[in-house]
Amino acid sequence: MSGSVVIAGLGPGNDALVTPEVTEALAKATNIVGYIPYVARVAERPGLTLHPSDNRVEIDRSRHALEMASEGKHVVVVSSGDPGVFAMAAAVLEAVEHGDPAWREIDIQILPGITAMLAASAACGAPLGHDFCAINLSDNMKPWDLIEKRLRLAAEADFAMAFYNPRSKSRPEGFGKAVKALQEACGDDRPMIFARNVSRPDQTIKIVPLTEVTEDMADMRTVVLLGNSQTRVIERCNAAPLIYTPRSVEG
């Protein structure tokens, strides 16, 4: 019996944003593998085994999934958002490249999901409406100097930006350093958007001019967006502002 591995995105948090394709894959799975809170989003049922694990064992988790698939099991590796955006798809493929050559013949599918940055953008308008980039602010797997270089170059290119993993308890200073670098590189009051628990019932959206941002405004449950020099804020009397980045750029 041949097994399979599906790497699936569960979206930003609201179950209504899980795609039908992912829902179908979960229904067919014999085993679910993933980070503890993501596995907890999958309902238990007869014939399904859940394998929750810690956040920093991505390669071990990937190998476990591939080993089970090689034994004929149908494994779904779950991520939040989209599995290809700072998540498990790259980890599983890394394990395939460097692991048992037989793993290359396993049926592997990657199913996309709605990312936190797209959910956050939609919640306040269209701040990612033109060219943008996404930067992971965690220095667990890359040096801080590289993060700062990418921040400065993205600002120089006038990208709108989305930031993942802005500030954790183990490295609370990282977001402050990022903000300082951006304030120096941008030199204006473009809006920074803090979307916490985006798409969930306790979602909050805060819009703060870049020059007024402080490091304590974000945590690991926050995705942060930054407009470019052309991003507009439309104020409204009886509703939250709308933010958008124009599709056209003057030459």
Side-chain angles (χ1 to χ4, degrees):
M1 176 174 139
S2 60
S4 62
V5 173
V6 172
I7 312 162
L10 298 179
N14 186 331
D15 288 344
L17 298 181
V18 179
T19 69
E21 186 179 38
V22 169
T23 299
E24 182 179 356
L26 294 172
K28 294 178 179 178
T30 60
N31 297 77
I32 303 292
V33 174
Y35 179 38
I36 296 166
Y38 307 153
V39 173
R41 292 181 57 188
V42 179
E44 296 186 38
R45 58 173 168 79
L48 179 66
T49 304
L50 305 180
H51 303 270
S53 54
D54 186 73
N55 196 31
R56 295 196 181 188
V57 293
E58 289 93 346
I59 295 298
D60 290 342
R61 184 184 301 146
S62 300
R63 292 181 182 132
H64 185 206
L66 292 161
E67 287 167 357
M68 288 192 291
S70 67
E71 296 166 357
K73 296 173 182 175
H74 297 287
V75 184
V76 175
V77 179
V78 292
S79 293
S80 66
D82 182 284
V85 179
F86 306 127
M88 284 302 299
V92 172
L93 297 185
E94 182 179 345
V96 169
E97 181 182 10
H98 300 291
D100 186 336
W103 290 351
R104 300 187 179 210
E105 309 311 316
I106 293 173
D107 178 13
I108 297 174
Q109 297 182 63
I110 299 167
L111 305 184
I114 296 172
T115 66
M117 67 179 172
L118 296 182
S121 179
C124 61
L128 305 181
H130 203 281
D131 298 338
F132 70 90
C133 64
I135 300 174
N136 188 337
L137 296 182
S138 171
D139 59 359
N140 286 334
M141 301 183 75
K142 62 180 182 288
W144 176 257
D145 288 349
L146 178 58
I147 296 173
E148 187 165 335
K149 178 181 179 180
R150 289 176 174 174
L151 290 171
R152 293 186 180 281
L153 289 174
E156 180 182 341
D158 202 21
F159 283 112
M161 305 178 214
F163 305 114
Y164 281 75
N165 299 317
R167 186 170 183 262
S168 69
K169 291 180 180 179
S170 63
R171 44 177 183 76
E173 74 288 344
F175 185 62
K177 292 193 294 184
V179 168
K180 181 179 179 181
L182 289 166
Q183 288 171 336
E184 292 174 353
C186 296
D188 58 23
D189 254 353
R190 64 190 64 186
M192 183 168 271
I193 300 140
F194 297 85
R196 190 170 192 275
N197 291 339
V198 64
S199 84
R200 298 175 183 270
D202 57 345
Q203 167 184 294
T204 59
I205 304 289
K206 294 182 180 179
I207 304 165
V208 183
L210 177 58
T211 56
E212 298 177 16
V213 171
T214 57
E215 66 177 26
D216 60 348
M217 291 180 177
D219 61 17
M220 289 296 283
R221 299 176 72 178
T222 307
V223 62
V224 181
L225 308 179
L226 178 66
N228 71 11
S229 64
Q230 304 301 311
T231 300
R232 313 297 298 165
V233 179
I234 304 173
E235 298 291 348
R236 301 191 290 175
C237 293
N238 299 310
L242 292 171
I243 302 177
Y244 80 103
T245 299
R247 295 174 299 155
S248 59
V249 179
E250 294 182 3

